[in-house]
Amino acid sequence: LLRQLWSMRGNPIALPIEEENSAALLPVLKLLAACTRSRSICVVHPDLRCETVSRWQIAWDGLRFASASVACLWAAHRARRELSSLLSQPRDPPRAHVASGSVLYLKTNLWFGIKAGGSVGHIAGVVNGLQRLGHPVTFASAEPPVMIDDGVLVLPIQPPTAFGLPYELNNYRFQQGFERTLESGSAMASADLIYQRLSAANYLGVVLSRRHRLPLVVEYNGSEVWVAKHWGRGMKFQKLAQMAEEAMLRHAHLVVTISEVLRDELIVRGVEPARIVCYPNCIDPLVFSPERFSQNEREALRTHYGIPLDSTVLAFIGTFG
């Protein structure tokens, strides 16, 4: 890797950042750029502003990277101890149910870059559906909301300012910051139910549910550990991430999934059928309505793309893996 970097002579070496949250990757990217023969290094921000950085400045980023890596290892150590305890304890009953209670939606993914695929619409559909049914939603996320109704209260979560290695351990460090933000404000005091979309290496919903005796609903779209193993490079700390998934499924009062296949998978993983709700993926009829467009507009669109006017068009929204 170092030989390959040293052979690069681009001037300047450009480090483009798609969004502000991606700035957490800059210390690592700057260190890699410093190993090239380029005379200048330029960070390109989301507004296309260029910032030239010196190799002396990058020395500070090296310290930030080292500090973040140590913090990741410590967070993983704490998580292993906590998860071992959680997996040996029974599920706590929640306090009295509130029929028209408010919902704290936890989006705990640590994603960067362009957001696309079925998860974007699915998250918006669940959040907006709860809100429209009279359950006020607080949406806690490190990313700006997409397609979320104006009435939803958005609680921004600050992601790590610098990432460390191993990469996947940043999730446990992120969970600690997520937890501090929620506990320091009024989000927990006003919540009657916690809804968490299962994400890799995160079990925040279990911690908050047990501490505040709130019912926990976990949305299960498949095992993130399985996805990483079969569709990616796998996880270096696979056993720890598996423990986080098992803790979420063990302590959830309700597990929502999208297909009978995943329902059967949950039963095999030890989730009782009475705790599983299977509800298929669908679309928001207010958004995906042909009535939003005139006949002339629809015909013009078909003509533009060479689609016969009398044909039937089937659309798919999601991600193929």
Side-chain angles (χ1 to χ4, degrees):
L1 173 63
L2 291 175
R3 283 198 300 269
Q4 179 67 30
L5 290 170
W6 185 246
S7 69
M8 298 172 67
R9 300 174 180 269
N11 190 33
I13 290 287
L15 307 177
I17 301 298
E18 287 182 311
E19 59 175 2
E20 292 302 331
N21 285 352
S22 301
L25 301 172
L26 275 177
V28 178
L29 296 177
K30 288 178 181 177
L31 287 171
L32 293 174
C35 296
T36 69
R37 296 188 188 183
S38 175
R39 285 175 295 177
S40 65
I41 299 169
C42 175
V43 176
V44 184
H45 293 273
D47 59 1
L48 301 185
R49 173 176 52 88
C50 292
E51 175 192 0
T52 301
V53 295
S54 69
R55 280 174 167 77
W56 285 109
Q57 290 174 297
I58 293 175
W60 167 245
D61 287 292
L63 292 175
R64 292 176 61 206
F65 167 69
S67 175
S69 297
V70 172
C72 282
L73 292 171
W74 176 244
H77 173 70
R78 286 185 56 188
R80 187 178 300 277
R81 292 176 56 187
E82 188 171 38
L83 285 167
S84 295
S85 175
L86 287 171
L87 290 174
S88 66
Q89 298 179 38
R91 186 183 322 108
D92 281 348
R95 54 181 164 87
H97 175 66
V98 181
S100 59
S102 58
V103 177
L104 175 61
Y105 187 109
L106 305 178
K107 182 174 181 290
T108 52
N109 302 86
L110 201 52
W111 289 339
F112 298 111
I114 296 173
K115 311 300 184 299
S119 64
V120 175
H122 195 267
I123 290 169
V126 171
V127 171
N128 295 340
L130 288 167
Q131 182 79 14
R132 294 168 189 173
L133 286 171
H135 301 279
V137 177
T138 298
F139 180 73
S141 170
E143 303 158 0
V146 180
M147 297 170 61
I148 300 296
D149 287 352
D150 293 337
V152 174
L153 177 62
V154 177
L155 178 59
I157 305 297
Q158 181 64 42
T161 56
F163 265 38
L165 290 177
Y167 175 81
E168 67 195 63
L169 298 187
N170 289 283
N171 289 289
Y172 302 102
R173 188 162 150 252
F174 175 53
Q175 175 175 316
Q176 293 178 358
F178 208 126
E179 181 182 349
R180 285 193 296 269
T181 300
L182 291 174
E183 294 288 15
S184 64
S186 59
M188 297 311 307
S190 60
D192 295 306
L193 180 144
I194 298 173
Y195 187 107
Q196 181 174 353
R197 180 185 174 92
L198 188 72
S199 61
N202 192 290
Y203 57 98
L204 178 58
V206 174
V207 175
L208 297 175
S209 169
R210 292 175 65 83
R211 181 181 300 155
H212 297 274
R213 294 192 60 201
L214 294 173
L216 172 64
V217 178
V218 171
E219 180 187 302
Y220 183 79
N221 295 287
S223 169
E224 294 292 338
V225 175
W226 188 96
V227 168
K229 181 179 180 180
H230 294 275
W231 295 350
R233 297 182 178 182
M235 294 183 176
K236 187 174 182 180
F237 295 85
Q238 177 176 310
K239 184 177 179 180
L240 185 58
Q242 187 78 38
M243 291 171 68
E245 280 191 7
E246 293 299 331
M248 289 286 284
L249 297 178
R250 169 189 284 262
H251 292 281
H253 299 96
L254 199 68
V255 181
V256 181
T257 194
I258 58 173
S259 70
E260 293 294 336
V261 174
L262 288 178
R263 180 181 182 276
D264 294 342
E265 179 181 307
L266 287 168
I267 294 173
V268 171
R269 295 188 67 170
V271 182
E272 302 89 338
R275 284 198 293 131
I276 303 173
V277 171
C278 187
Y279 194 86
N281 280 331
C282 29
I283 53 91
D284 186 339
L286 299 179
V287 175
F288 299 94
S289 171
E291 302 306 318
R292 294 178 58 193
F293 306 94
S294 69
Q295 183 69 22
N296 289 337
E297 288 174 322
R298 294 200 294 269
E299 290 181 358
L301 191 66
R302 285 171 175 262
T303 300
H304 176 77
Y305 287 105
I307 301 173
L309 299 182
D310 60 348
S311 64
T312 299
V313 179
L314 301 180
F316 171 79
I317 301 169
T319 306
F320 284 112

